[in-house]
Amino acid sequence: MTAPAALLRTAAELEAFGPAPSAAGTGAARADRAVVMTMGALHEGHASLIRTARALVKDAGQVVVTVFVNPLQFGEAADLERYPRTLDADLAVAGEAGADAVFAPSADEVYPGGEPQVRISAGPMGERLEGASRPGHFDGMLTVVAKLFHLTRPDVAFFGQKDAQQLALIRRMVRDLNFPVEIVGVETAREADGLALSSRNRFLDPHERRTALALSRALFAARDRLAAQQALHARARATGATQDRAAGLNRLGEARLAADAQAVARALPDDGPAAVRAAARAVLEEASAASPPLDLDYVALVDPADFTEIPDDRTAGDAVLAVAARVGATRLIDNIPLTFGAPT
């Protein structure tokens, strides 16, 4: 069994641990040091990030996992106290996945003298969706990410696509403020039944967990609706399907073929976003009547660059379908990337 990762508690210990030796001439990949930032309670989703980091930097590089429950990201003290702390288990998970070290500083180490007076503002994007539901959350997140970048000095940092808005904001901060680090997003890890892996899942009882599956079901239903629509578009282009063709088939007594041709002809490109939203909402509305019910915060189809809403007339380009809801006392988020106008 792989040994647990080394535990580093202070900036001085992290400095002494040192960056990875130069990879020049060793055949190593692009980066010497990769960092995976977490708040602990590591699960398979975090392990996937660590494994991806290890695969990139190879043996000549170094993978550091940060474990820090950042008080600036919590609006209520009760939520901060409730957040799970499982450092011993985290060390084992990190080591098994390929991390060299876990940097787990105290709040005093990260914020000497108390919470910082100067912070990074997330700007307009930070006020949308999660930012509207959790005011100040993204300012606190970016502030600690910036501090941890300075402390760990990574060449590349890995973040999960599950926190899509967070990932977009970190990328924007790095670009806008010229941080010398590459940001890599890693696909959301899921349970076999589709539930996105999250440290908060442990708070769900079996009945709540059953209701929580509506989040991923809604996303998959929207994805499938878009895929079906794009398949119809492709057939319409390939066959030249029109309402006249459908009417002609109907006159010939080919009712089934006529109905199919009519469905293809009606597959208009500009109903994509509306159809995606409708497919997701249908699943979520059904879950709102479940026991226990799903209490929807938002479902939004947004531009991944700035998290503004995609207009209904969008016919091409990338999007993120994001959802947030409470089940019992637990708030969950999930999302899925989509591409409109994709070839089939």
Side-chain angles (χ1 to χ4, degrees):
M1 180 176 177
T2 305
L7 175 60
L8 311 174
R9 286 290 202 173
T10 68
E13 291 175 353
L14 182 62
E15 181 71 22
F17 194 73
S22 173
T26 66
R30 295 168 293 166
D32 289 338
R33 174 177 275 183
V35 166
V36 176
M37 294 189 185
T38 82
M39 291 205 298
L42 302 189
H43 49 64
E44 175 56 28
H46 298 111
S48 176
L49 292 171
I50 298 166
R51 287 193 296 268
T52 304
R54 172 52 67 196
L56 178 68
V57 302
K58 299 186 178 178
D59 291 341
Q62 190 180 81
V63 177
V64 175
V65 176
T66 67
V67 172
F68 180 63
V69 183
N70 179 29
L72 302 189
Q73 291 175 232
F74 290 83
E76 298 179 8
D79 289 339
L80 175 61
E81 292 303 316
R82 186 175 181 238
Y83 197 88
R85 275 84 165 173
T86 59
L87 185 57
D88 288 343
D90 293 345
L91 289 168
V93 171
E96 183 69 26
D100 297 293
V102 169
F103 179 49
S106 66
D108 289 338
E109 183 72 19
V110 177
Y111 302 123
E115 293 188 0
Q117 296 184 34
V118 177
R119 308 186 188 195
I120 290 179
S121 169
M125 195 192 332
E127 298 172 358
R128 299 173 186 134
L129 299 188
E130 285 300 291
S133 298
R134 306 166 67 186
H137 168 75
F138 286 125
D139 292 354
M141 179 275 295
L142 291 178
T143 298
V144 77
V145 168
K147 291 209 69 167
L148 290 172
F149 278 158
H150 290 313
L151 289 168
T152 60
R153 302 192 309 276
D155 298 286
V156 58
F158 294 78
F159 297 89
Q161 176 65 34
K162 176 178 171 291
D163 296 297
Q165 192 172 2
Q166 169 180 282
L167 174 59
L169 280 162
I170 291 170
R171 282 177 166 151
R172 188 61 187 251
M173 178 183 74
V174 165
R175 182 169 68 251
D176 287 356
L177 302 184
N178 298 102
F179 280 82
V181 57
E182 178 186 358
I183 304 301
V184 175
V186 178
E187 184 179 354
T188 301
R190 299 184 180 276
E191 302 278 7
D193 58 11
L195 186 67
L197 286 171
S198 170
S199 302
R200 298 178 185 272
N201 290 351
R202 68 187 65 200
F203 299 134
L204 299 169
D205 68 30
H207 301 291
E208 291 170 339
R209 196 181 188 287
R210 185 176 62 246
T211 295
L213 290 175
L215 274 72
S216 57
R217 284 205 311 270
L219 298 177
F220 298 156
R223 178 195 61 192
D224 293 347
R225 178 66 184 88
L226 178 61
Q229 186 175 35
Q230 290 176 336
L232 286 174
H233 294 163
R235 288 178 59 196
R237 289 191 296 270
T239 64
T242 64
Q243 295 289 359
D244 288 343
R245 180 173 181 270
L249 287 167
N250 204 36
R251 285 194 297 272
L252 291 172
E254 298 287 352
R256 185 182 63 81
L257 291 176
D260 181 70
Q262 188 172 54
V264 172
R266 287 177 175 173
L268 301 176
D270 61 359
D271 68 349
V276 164
R277 290 186 178 96
R281 285 195 175 278
V283 176
L284 296 168
E285 287 172 5
E286 181 180 0
S288 69
S291 180
L294 181 140
D295 183 13
L296 182 64
D297 186 348
Y298 62 77
V299 56
L301 184 66
V302 297
D303 188 318
D306 58 11
F307 273 67
T308 55
E309 282 280 348
I310 295 289
D312 281 345
D313 60 358
R314 172 73 64 86
T315 60
D318 294 331
V320 170
L321 181 63
V323 61
R326 285 189 179 275
V327 182
T330 304
R331 188 174 185 276
L332 301 170
I333 63 172
D334 201 353
N335 71 85
I336 193 169
L338 300 172
T339 300
F340 290 90
T344 56

